[in-house]
Amino acid sequence: MSVLQFRCGSCSIVDDVTEKMTQCEYCSLVPLFGCGIQVRDENKKLDFVRHARYELHHNGSQSRKTSRLSLSTCRAEQYSTSAMAVSMCCTYSKLKFLSRHRFMSIPVRQIMKLKDIFNLGSAWRSVLITSEGNNRKRTVLGIETSCDDTGAAIVDSEGHILGEALHSQTSTHNLTGGIVPNVAKELHAKNVEMVVEQALDDAQMRLQDVDALAVTVKPGLIMSLRVGLRHAQKLCQSSGLPLIPIHHMEAHALTARMIDKIEFPFLVLLASGGHCLLAVAKGIDDFELLGSSLDTAPGEAFDKTARELNLFQLPRFEGLSGGVAVERLAREGNPHAYPRIHVMTSVANCNFSFTGLKISARRQILREYQRQGLATHELLPQAADICAWFQFNLLYHIARRLQRAFIFAEMHEICGDKKTLVVSGGVASNSYIRGKLSGLCETYGYRLVCPPAKLCTDNGIMIAWNGMEKLLNGRDFSQDPDGVDVQARSPFGINRSKEVSNSFIKLPRLVMDPL
Ligand code: KG4
Ligand code: ZN
């Protein structure tokens, strides 16, 4: 006995296919532009020959066309799967219902073969989709343009990076003293196509070879986000690929799962140029926020301090971010050189504040300029000390908030036995901070996982991987790629920060050697 089934894209009901079916019989909403058919026999072996001919109806346009599809011409041995579905669509919009839930599309190489077999002309697109249990590798192309990096990459379902390309705008923005949104937009517009092509070349793939396109749509600089989204929409239009909209911070949070099979739930700290978020990751799109920065982001404080110190004048720091420059120079400095900076010590929550640190660093820098009798465009001999001192104080503030999160997680049994802390975002590429946090994690029985530095800062890989996780779990496909829009701000999960405050968690002393 074989079962032929159709899964409605609107109500998701799976039903046996009846001949000449043109609508989902349950919700009557979705016309059957193509039938999704699963063929499965009792022994879970494929048998196409027995189901040699089915009529598939295509009424995407006013006039109804009927095409005959011979499944016997698809050779089962080609596919290592226990179940499969075949669908035929004439335009992208019909693809959307196939891409949901457990169904996945196969590479277009195979689609093209089917297209030839069916000989239905260029307007037709046929897609073979497979259900769970199929171990075929899937691929996603990711595009990132939310801030000042234009990134693209292709990753597969096993977390292999097949191709990647990145264009950084850092050196341009270093010259102007910070990101100018209009300049960032122009540079994205100039480079996005090239970066996508480079990533595809690197992977030796064509656009049609990937299964889906993922693109950052929030949060970020609106003009920058728009460039990436528009380009992705254009690619979707020309290829018929589905679009997966990505939340930039969620992508940062889950990048670690690409390299390390970390199970949910885990704690995650995201420290970047625009954010500082401390959260529980419970699922692919399920987060609980324990705390966030009330003002400046840590990366911004690093960048500002580097600029105040004129570090970009030094050839060794040319083209680098402020964070990297401060981290490198800090190795030569004394973290005890100046008095400690106390941040939010009387506020018992997991929120952060970096404005005080930024201002303290600025004051200290100005004081040194005065003391040395130097003009503020010159280089300070004390720059290394200031970097080391600033970096340690920033780290200590983060460590104290983490300490409270560990205790809160313990109180509410959030992390179970496998306690993991993921630290990601640009600032997490700082090896001094990583090293010190690993000591703290050890004390609280946590395993610290930080993605490699190049995956902590913005890149296309993290977007592609987030798209892959969504693809594999049938989430978040855009019904209409052209209807997707960007958002400058976007919440990160359910906010539990008040609950943290209301727990009145007093912290035990934290001794941390700054060296
Ligand atoms: O995640 P990211 O690449 O972009 C945003 O989403 O913001 O983070 C960029 C920020 C910049 O502010 C940069 O100075 C900082 O991350 N950063 C660092 C380091 N590398 C990058 N901060 C401290 N230490 C580093 N090694
Ligand atoms: Zn980022």
Side-chain angles (χ1 to χ4, degrees):
M1 246 280 285
S2 298
V3 187
L4 311 177
Q5 293 180 321
F6 161 69
R7 177 187 288 269
C8 171
S10 183
C11 69
S12 295
I13 285 176
V14 176
D15 191 23
D16 290 0
V17 169
T18 57
E19 285 212 8
K20 294 191 171 47
M21 199 171 159
T22 55
Q23 275 188 326
C24 168
E25 303 217 314
Y26 289 87
C27 70
S28 303
L29 278 179
V30 176
L32 276 185
F33 296 105
C35 295
I37 300 176
Q38 275 195 316
V39 183
R40 206 196 290 254
D41 73 9
E42 268 175 343
N43 306 318
K44 300 221 165 160
K45 275 194 198 141
L46 290 170
D47 183 355
F48 297 107
V49 183
R50 270 202 279 155
H51 309 283
R53 293 174 89 82
Y54 296 102
E55 276 193 329
L56 293 186
H57 299 281
H58 160 246
N59 64 352
S61 57
Q62 294 286 349
S63 62
R64 181 178 298 181
K65 254 199 233 169
T66 302
S67 302
R68 288 197 170 269
L69 159 67
S70 169
L71 286 172
S72 60
T73 44
C74 320
R75 257 176 286 117
E77 309 87 72
Q78 263 181 277
Y79 313 105
S80 56
T81 172
S82 61
M84 66 181 282
V86 177
S87 177
M88 304 174 64
C89 304
C90 62
T91 67
Y92 163 74
S93 60
K94 321 306 178 304
L95 264 176
K96 65 192 179 192
F97 73 81
L98 302 173
S99 319
R100 305 173 88 201
H101 305 282
R102 290 170 300 137
F103 291 140
M104 310 295 171
S105 58
I106 62 149
V108 179
R109 252 177 275 118
Q110 289 170 25
I111 293 172
M112 296 313 285
K113 269 189 214 146
L114 286 172
K115 195 169 118 186
D116 292 346
I117 292 163
F118 304 146
N119 195 21
L120 289 166
S122 59
W124 285 79
R125 190 171 287 283
S126 46
V127 177
L128 184 77
I129 51 177
T130 60
S131 74
E132 277 175 339
N134 178 17
N135 55 13
R136 183 186 65 76
K137 275 189 204 162
R138 283 166 282 267
T139 52
V140 171
L141 166 66
I143 301 177
E144 157 64 29
T145 63
S146 70
C147 189
D148 60 344
D149 289 299
T150 318
I154 297 120
V155 302
D156 72 15
S157 37
E158 288 175 6
H160 299 127
I161 301 163
L162 306 182
E164 57 174 307
L166 187 71
H167 176 269
S168 167
Q169 305 176 358
T170 308
S171 48
T172 308
H173 298 308
N174 281 351
L175 296 176
T176 51
I179 299 170
V180 180
N182 217 18
V183 175
K185 176 199 123 178
E186 292 298 327
L187 288 171
H188 284 306
K190 193 171 152 214
N191 294 300
V192 67
E193 189 172 354
M194 177 194 76
V195 165
V196 169
E197 273 168 19
Q198 276 176 3
L200 284 166
D201 276 358
D202 194 30
Q204 298 189 325
M205 289 171 86
R206 298 164 308 160
L207 182 62
Q208 308 94 286
D209 298 334
V210 303
D211 292 276
L213 230 145
V215 63
T216 311
V217 296
K218 61 185 177 185
L221 299 173
I222 212 87
M223 288 194 284
S224 295
L225 287 166
R226 223 168 250 148
V227 175
L229 176 63
R230 294 279 180 271
H231 191 66
Q233 285 168 330
K234 203 175 86 187
L235 295 177
C236 284
Q237 274 162 11
S238 66
S239 64
L241 287 170
L243 184 84
I244 309 174
I246 302 292
H247 187 299
H248 181 85
M249 299 314 288
E250 289 183 7
H252 268 308
L254 301 192
T255 311
R257 281 167 50 86
M258 190 178 101
I259 39 154
D260 195 316
K261 297 289 164 231
I262 306 157
E263 281 168 28
F264 296 113
F266 57 87
L267 288 184
V268 58
L269 168 74
L270 301 175
S272 70
H275 296 87
C276 194
L277 305 167
L278 181 48
V280 185
K282 296 176 73 186
I284 289 159
D285 46 12
D286 186 6
F287 297 89
E288 288 178 354
L289 188 68
L290 303 182
S292 58
S293 176
L294 303 174
D295 43 48
T296 316
E300 196 185 326
F302 267 104
D303 293 339
K304 184 90 178 138
T305 305
R307 272 200 300 277
E308 301 275 358
L309 287 168
N310 301 311
L311 297 190
F312 302 121
Q313 284 180 19
L314 295 168
R316 62 191 272 216
F317 299 134
E318 224 180 271
L320 297 179
S321 71
V324 176
V326 170
E327 181 191 357
R328 292 200 187 161
L329 199 56
R331 289 180 199 145
E332 300 157 28
N334 170 15
H336 297 294
Y338 306 101
R340 285 289 303 275
I341 309 168
H342 300 286
V343 185
M344 293 177 85
T345 42
S346 56
V347 190
N349 60 24
C350 283
N351 289 331
F352 303 85
S353 168
F354 297 97
T355 298
L357 283 153
K358 190 174 77 174
I359 293 172
S360 300
R362 185 181 149 77
R363 285 207 189 113
Q364 202 58 54
I365 293 166
L366 291 176
R367 219 170 280 145
E368 286 295 359
Y369 273 116
Q370 274 177 358
R371 206 181 300 172
Q372 306 296 320
L374 292 171
T376 52
H377 62 266
E378 291 179 278
L379 284 164
L380 267 183
Q382 291 77 13
D385 284 349
I386 290 175
C387 288
W389 162 78
F390 163 79
Q391 181 174 253
F392 171 67
N393 280 282
L394 184 139
L395 156 78
Y396 193 83
H397 172 48
I398 291 178
R400 290 298 265 173
R401 305 331 258 181
L402 274 175
Q403 217 184 344
R404 183 167 286 112
F406 290 154
I407 298 169
F408 181 80
E410 194 70 50
M411 280 166 65
H412 296 272
E413 294 176 5
I414 286 174
C415 287
D417 295 339
K418 289 184 191 161
K419 295 180 192 165
T420 305
L421 170 71
V422 168
V423 183
S424 194
V427 178
S429 61
N430 184 303
S431 44
Y432 173 80
I433 294 179
R434 285 169 182 238
K436 294 292 167 196
L437 292 184
S438 86
L440 179 74
C441 284
E442 226 169 86
T443 313
Y444 283 87
Y446 273 75
R447 183 169 78 98
L448 175 67
V449 181
C450 301
K454 80 165 198 178
L455 296 183
C456 283
T457 46
D458 290 352
N459 60 82
I461 299 162
M462 69 183 207
I463 306 305
W465 174 249
N466 200 238
M468 178 56 75
E469 290 231 68
K470 288 185 165 172
L471 177 74
L472 294 177
N473 289 278
R475 305 272 172 81
D476 254 17
F477 278 91
S478 153
Q479 297 295 311
D480 170 19
D482 291 339
V484 176
D485 208 354
V486 296
Q487 270 172 256
R489 291 171 176 276
S490 176
F492 188 73
I494 296 162
N495 197 335
R496 284 184 77 177
S497 60
K498 284 228 164 70
E499 213 183 311
V500 179
S501 305
N502 295 338
S503 302
F504 302 105
I505 300 166
K506 279 206 155 205
L507 297 182
R509 226 171 135 239
L510 176 62
V511 184
M512 208 173 230
D513 179 9
L515 292 170

